[in-house]
Amino acid sequence: AVFARYPTFDLTGIEYLESDVSGSGISLAQQAKDAMTEVMLKGRVGLLADMPVNQEGVSKADMMVKGIRPAIKIYKAESIINWRTCQIGAHACLSLVVLSESYIKEDDGFKPEYGEQLLILRLNDDGYAESEIVRKTDNSDWVSQGVNPITDNNGKQLAYIPFFFAGGDNNDADVDEVPIYDIAHLNIAHFVNAADME
């Protein structure tokens, strides 16, 4: 019902996001449907705006020739394992989010072997955003892969974490109730009654 009418977008300058928002060929409308499904089933979902840049930034020529461009990644509720908020003036903002991910540990050309990693996004003591990847070793130790500043396409470090929650009630960091819980509970009750009767 939510997507009975196809959504419209205003993407001036970044029109390519409509047909490929994640960098893996998923359209913006399809990602919105996936996010809506997650919210209905689990009460929340996370969206990370990501831009592969270096310290000097990325020029429009780099974006055209090398295919370097922003992407929006979706994270399911169970992948968001920790978060913190802080108050800056009258604005409540995200100061920490820890995301569970997998990475290709080894690949022999036939079957990749995946490892476990955490993507840690935080505001440092100076109020600027930085990211850190921590990978789990075979000995179950966690090893940092280094800390990097989170910057815009001009190479300027961000003063906020580009991660956003979408929830069943509102879009803050609090965990909302699952919208379809009552219907699911009622369906289970109907099933139990039918099983008892038959």
Side-chain angles (χ1 to χ4, degrees):
V2 173
F3 291 93
R5 293 176 58 188
Y6 193 81
T8 58
F9 308 103
D10 181 9
L11 300 170
T12 305
I14 52 173
E15 293 84 358
Y16 47 79
L17 288 180
E18 184 171 353
S19 60
D20 185 4
V21 68
S22 64
S24 58
I26 296 175
S27 69
L28 186 55
Q30 183 58 53
Q31 189 182 75
K33 291 177 184 178
D34 293 343
M36 183 67 185
T37 300
E38 283 296 307
V39 169
M40 292 300 293
L41 293 176
K42 301 168 188 172
R44 70 182 336 203
V45 71
L47 298 166
L48 174 64
D50 194 19
M51 177 72 178
V53 297
N54 53 33
Q55 297 297 331
E56 292 76 35
V58 175
S59 67
K60 287 188 177 180
D62 289 335
M63 294 178 71
M64 293 291 290
V65 175
K66 300 178 183 177
I68 300 173
R69 64 177 191 78
I72 300 174
K73 298 178 181 178
I74 191 169
Y75 285 87
K76 296 182 178 183
E78 59 269 24
S79 297
I80 309 167
I81 61 173
N82 196 5
W83 65 93
R84 294 285 185 275
T85 58
C86 65
Q87 199 76 19
I88 299 178
H91 181 65
C93 68
L94 197 61
S95 61
L96 170 74
V97 63
V98 181
L99 306 169
S100 177
E101 297 181 328
S102 63
Y103 72 99
I104 297 177
K105 191 175 180 181
E106 290 183 21
D107 190 353
D108 60 4
F110 295 97
K111 184 178 180 182
E113 180 184 346
Y114 291 93
E116 186 180 352
Q117 74 178 20
L118 301 176
L119 173 60
I120 304 169
L121 309 170
R122 66 169 75 88
L123 293 180
N124 61 24
D125 294 338
D126 297 323
Y128 290 103
E130 58 188 23
S131 67
E132 180 181 11
I133 291 178
V134 181
R135 290 183 175 168
K136 192 174 186 178
T137 66
D138 294 334
N139 300 329
S140 296
D141 296 326
W142 292 91
V143 179
S144 174
Q145 306 300 303
V147 178
N148 296 296
I150 301 175
T151 62
D152 61 15
N153 65 321
N154 295 316
K156 182 179 178 183
Q157 193 167 1
L158 298 179
Y160 64 92
I161 297 172
F163 184 87
F164 306 92
F165 290 99
D169 293 329
N170 52 48
N171 298 330
D172 61 14
D174 295 331
V175 180
D176 295 333
E177 294 290 333
V178 177
I180 66 166
Y181 175 79
D182 292 338
I183 295 174
H185 188 70
L186 184 62
N187 280 342
I188 293 171
H190 286 161
F191 172 79
V192 170
N193 288 339
D196 290 345
M197 292 291 292
E198 296 173 9

